[in-house]
Amino acid sequence: MIYPKKIIDKAIHFLKFEQEIYGTFSVEGLQHNDTQLEHNQPEVLDTTDIIKQLKKFNTLNELEAFCKTSDLLKTDLEEANLVMGAGNPKADLMLIGEAPGKQEDLQGEPFVGRSGQLLNKILKAINFEREDIYIANILKYRPPDNRDPLPDERLKSLPFLLKQIEIINPKLILCLGRISAQTLLDNKESMKNMRGKFHPFMGKYELMVTYHPAALLRNPNFKKDAWADVQLLRKRYDELGCKP
Ligand code: URA
């Protein structure tokens, strides 16, 4: 059965919201004419060559120069700007969001829009300034219409982000939202299963997952859990003797 696009858009909006808590699920038999979901399957992608090329970079400046030349990082939004990351390049705490939005694309910096304002408040509440930490995203370019990053976009961007993490070498990583967490932990778990604890990551980092600030703006009921998560994170930061 074919449904009008308006209904499908509403259903997608609702499902995205539910996915924030319960993880990904599908509705069989639902058809639409939206191309976004039609190519939402990862290609078989061999990242060996790109990983080999990334090996030779030791600084964020070198990595950024390389990112500027790489079409692999681009979404299908033309004329978008690279949003590499911002903050202290030697930070012990690195935050990883999903993808730049309109404001981030315009200003070339992650989390400067509405979500960013809430993120600043959360950071302040646990005694961090933005300059103390480093913030990046899974994608370095804005996806069109603020849609979720597609699986193949996440896959192509991941080696660049892993290199960025390696250069910054934080002790702690905080994933903001399901997409960030599922991409880095390489799973399809729900937020409920991933948040609130530390996951070992890349053999040397501790990774915590919490709700994306946009999810907190949509559903204030998540704030209690997010508050517990960031307090735990701050405690671990201090225990490990981390410094800005
Ligand atoms: N949401 C994200 O995930 N990242 C940004 O940079 C802004 C909004």
Side-chain angles (χ1 to χ4, degrees):
M1 181 151 184
I2 310 276
Y3 295 90
K5 183 164 183 313
K6 221 165 112 188
I7 304 274
I8 298 296
D9 283 348
K10 272 199 170 163
I12 288 172
H13 184 81
F14 172 75
L15 291 175
K16 266 193 189 170
F17 178 72
E18 293 291 299
Q19 277 180 11
E20 209 57 57
I21 328 176
Y22 300 110
T24 3
F25 48 86
S26 66
V27 181
E28 279 186 21
L30 206 60
Q31 292 183 31
H32 55 81
N33 57 5
D34 189 335
T35 51
Q36 168 196 332
L37 295 177
E38 265 149 29
H39 64 287
N40 200 0
Q41 287 306 316
E43 312 165 354
V44 179
L45 178 76
D46 185 1
T47 49
T48 325
D49 187 50
I50 196 76
I51 291 169
K52 215 174 354 172
Q53 291 186 58
L54 284 164
K55 271 213 168 92
K56 55 180 189 270
F57 303 122
N58 298 309
T59 68
L60 285 181
N61 283 346
E62 287 169 350
L63 179 63
E64 181 164 358
F66 183 61
C67 287
K68 280 186 181 149
T69 67
S70 181
D71 284 343
L72 273 183
L73 289 170
K74 299 217 162 121
T75 66
D76 40 358
L77 183 71
E78 283 169 25
E79 314 255 333
N81 295 307
L82 178 79
V83 182
M84 194 64 198
N88 175 0
K90 292 198 164 64
D92 279 338
L93 171 61
M94 184 166 174
L95 267 54
I96 301 176
E98 203 169 279
K102 186 173 177 199
Q103 283 309 317
E104 289 75 21
D105 175 49
L106 288 172
Q107 298 183 41
E109 188 173 329
F111 285 99
V112 289
R114 252 185 99 217
S115 295
Q117 284 162 19
L118 178 56
L119 181 62
N120 291 348
K121 282 190 194 159
I122 295 170
L123 289 172
K124 262 217 150 50
I126 49 167
N127 288 323
F128 285 120
E129 297 298 328
R130 265 176 88 108
E131 301 73 42
D132 297 337
I133 60 162
Y134 190 91
I135 313 181
N137 281 307
I138 298 290
L139 297 198
K140 306 220 176 295
Y141 284 94
R142 180 187 178 204
D145 306 321
N146 288 341
R147 62 156 167 72
D148 284 349
L150 301 173
D152 67 315
E153 291 170 338
R154 289 154 53 181
L155 211 63
K156 287 176 189 166
S157 298
L158 189 59
F160 296 83
L161 176 62
L162 294 182
K163 183 71 204 185
Q164 198 173 9
I165 295 174
E166 199 188 307
I167 293 173
I168 293 164
N169 196 25
K171 291 195 173 72
L172 294 169
I173 293 173
L174 178 65
C175 284
L176 298 168
R178 181 182 54 84
I179 294 211
S180 166
Q182 287 182 341
T183 308
L184 288 185
L185 295 175
D186 189 23
N187 68 24
K188 290 205 160 55
E189 291 289 337
S190 66
M191 280 299 288
K192 237 163 54 178
N193 287 344
M194 291 187 287
R195 59 152 291 271
K197 58 188 170 214
F198 290 98
H199 305 254
F201 182 64
M202 288 169 84
K204 55 188 213 167
Y205 309 117
E206 293 181 39
L207 183 151
M208 158 79 86
V209 178
T210 195
Y211 290 101
H212 193 287
L216 300 178
L217 288 169
R218 285 194 304 263
N219 189 343
N221 291 339
F222 296 158
K223 283 189 180 168
K224 193 165 154 267
D225 285 343
W227 178 234
D229 296 339
V230 295
Q231 280 183 301
L232 203 59
L233 179 80
R234 177 72 219 203
K235 188 163 165 268
R236 190 73 185 130
Y237 183 91
D238 293 335
E239 270 169 14
L240 292 173
C242 295
K243 299 225 162 44

